Amino acid sequence: MPLTINRTILFGDCDPGGVVYTPRIGHFVVEAGLAFLSHLLDGPAARRIFAMGVLPPARALSIEFLHPMTWDEEIAIEVSVEEIRTHAFALRVVARNRDGTETFRASQTQVCVSPDTRRPVPLPADLRAALERDLAS
């Protein structure tokens, strides 16, 4: 089941024209993804995943800009599981303004790697189970 994170666009998120500065959207995606994983794992995502014996670096981030966002605007960022693979998983992120207009869509892929070798390893069972629960709902 998707998780929705509400966010207000801050003055510091914007360029001099008052529109969200493009790189900030990447931050919104990462921030929402961590909140979603924390929700799935019933605690701080990074700490939970590290405790599973893996590191979860980003492998890919794709963002499609659909509608401008401006200072003081409220957006709802919905996050869900897009795909589960052997060594990686992808999250789907969709943001909408108060009118329901999609402002951006994104996909974020994270891969699980060994902290010792920095090579891909299979998703830990607990992480896979949490992701599969979301995918099934």
Side-chain angles (χ1 to χ4, degrees):
M1 171 177 294
L3 176 71
T4 300
I5 295 100
N6 295 310
R7 189 177 209 301
T8 300
I9 305 299
L10 303 175
F11 178 78
D13 294 327
C14 299
D15 63 19
V19 176
V20 171
Y21 183 57
T22 303
R24 291 297 295 160
I25 296 172
H27 176 75
F28 297 172
V29 172
V30 170
E31 184 179 76
L34 282 172
F36 175 72
L37 290 170
S38 294
H39 172 74
L40 286 185
L41 297 170
D42 294 319
R47 292 185 189 280
R48 300 278 184 179
I49 293 171
F50 293 161
M52 295 176 194
V54 298
L55 302 174
R59 180 172 170 254
L61 176 62
S62 173
I63 303 170
E64 182 179 10
F65 305 100
L66 303 169
H67 191 271
M69 295 170 284
T70 57
W71 177 34
D72 274 345
E73 186 174 359
E74 292 184 23
I75 57 172
I77 305 171
E78 183 180 279
V79 186
S80 60
V81 175
E82 183 173 62
E83 183 179 14
I84 304 170
R85 301 181 199 139
T86 303
H87 303 102
F89 61 93
L91 302 178
R92 175 183 16 255
V93 180
V94 178
R96 292 179 179 83
N97 63 20
R98 280 191 181 179
D99 297 332
T101 302
E102 284 188 25
T103 58
F104 68 85
R105 285 185 215 143
S107 178
Q108 175 185 355
T109 302
Q110 290 184 239
V111 62
C112 288
V113 300
S114 162
D116 300 322
T117 65
R118 302 287 200 247
R119 302 292 305 155
V121 295
L123 294 178
D126 290 345
L127 177 57
R128 178 175 289 281
L131 294 165
E132 287 175 345
R133 277 192 306 272
D134 180 74
L135 199 56
S137 56

